[in-house]
């Protein structure tokens, strides 16, 4: 059972802080989403806590940043862009922070490849990139106790170090 003050990852809302636990017929966590514009407290049943996961540790976050330059992109293809979007959104919701970071790298590469052919990337690509980026940056900023901009700077520094 999670304690008040701990951070957890909710499948739909992303990183949330446990504000309280209600008792009664169906005990529930009172979760406050982190990093959203107009967050509202979410009641989440304790019985379903297996769907929540703890935020990654500081060490795990630094390890993800260090391995980002050599991380493989995902080569998943489906018969339509809509099915690909569904696959990646499900992976963002239910996967780990590392999965979200890999999706960010995948879609940065896909968008760059399309632009290199002087074409406009599909809106779906931008949407998936944005969702994966927000999810992973929020979790990493909580794990590292720094702003999203500082986390982005760490990723950029990691990429620069790999080039040299």
């Amino acid at each position: 059972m999670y304690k008040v003050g701990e951070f957890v990852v909710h499948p739909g809302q992303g990183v949330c802080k446990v504000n309280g636990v209600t008792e009664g017929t169906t005990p529930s966590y009172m979760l406050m989403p982190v990093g959203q514009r107009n967050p509202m407290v979410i009641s989440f049943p304790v019985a379903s806590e297996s769907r929540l996961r703890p935020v990654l540790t500081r060490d795990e976050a630094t390890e993800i940043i260090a391995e980002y330059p050599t991380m493989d992109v995902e080569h998943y293809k489906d018969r339509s862009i809509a099915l690909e979007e569904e696959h990646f959104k499900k992976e963002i919701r239910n996967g780990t922070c590392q999965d979200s970071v890999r999706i960010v790298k995948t879609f940065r590469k896909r968008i760059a490849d399309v632009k290199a052919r002087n074409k406009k990337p599909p809106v779906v690509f931008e949407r998936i990139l944005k969702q994966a980026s927000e999810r992973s940056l929020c979790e990493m900023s909580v794990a590292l106790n720094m702003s999203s901009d500082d986390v982005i700077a760490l990723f950029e520094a990691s990429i620069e170090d790999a080039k040299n």
Side-chain angles (χ1 to χ4, degrees):
M1 190 162 170
Y2 295 105
K3 295 176 178 55
V4 174
E6 283 187 305
F7 289 95
V8 295
V9 180
H10 181 280
Q13 300 299 319
V15 178
C16 297
K17 185 175 185 177
V18 179
N19 276 0
V21 181
T22 62
E23 298 299 324
T25 56
T26 56
S28 298
Y29 290 113
M30 303 313 290
L31 303 176
M32 177 62 79
V34 175
Q36 294 183 1
R37 288 193 187 124
N38 300 311
M40 294 175 58
V41 175
I42 302 165
S43 179
F44 192 84
V46 172
S48 299
E49 81 177 343
S50 62
R51 293 183 50 218
L52 300 174
R53 67 175 174 79
V55 171
L56 59 136
T57 65
R58 182 177 200 82
D59 291 341
E60 291 169 332
T62 53
E63 189 177 311
I64 289 171
I65 292 170
E67 71 180 38
Y68 181 78
T70 59
M71 188 181 285
D72 291 332
V73 295
E74 201 164 317
H75 297 287
Y76 179 84
K77 291 279 186 198
D78 212 318
R79 61 183 181 270
S80 74
I81 288 181
L83 290 172
E84 282 184 38
E85 180 180 24
E86 186 179 322
H87 166 81
F88 284 110
K89 282 187 172 184
K90 190 179 290 183
E91 194 170 347
I92 292 166
R93 287 175 61 98
N94 300 321
T96 64
C97 184
Q98 186 166 10
D99 294 333
S100 292
V101 171
R102 186 176 51 257
I103 291 169
V104 167
K105 186 169 184 177
T106 298
F107 280 89
R108 282 214 168 108
K109 182 180 181 332
R110 286 186 181 189
I111 289 168
D113 291 349
V114 170
K115 285 182 176 179
R117 295 190 313 260
N118 290 326
K119 303 238 186 234
K120 189 172 190 284
V123 174
V124 170
F125 285 13
E126 299 283 348
R127 194 168 41 231
I128 294 170
L129 174 63
K130 182 180 181 206
Q131 190 176 9
S133 182
E134 287 173 353
R135 177 67 68 108
S136 59
L137 282 175
C138 185
E139 186 170 354
M140 294 191 88
S141 64
V142 166
L144 296 169
N145 196 23
M146 56 177 56
S147 72
S148 294
D149 292 337
D150 293 338
V151 174
I152 291 169
L154 290 175
F155 273 109
E156 290 169 352
S158 177
I159 292 167
E160 275 304 310
D161 289 347
K163 287 180 182 175
N164 297 333

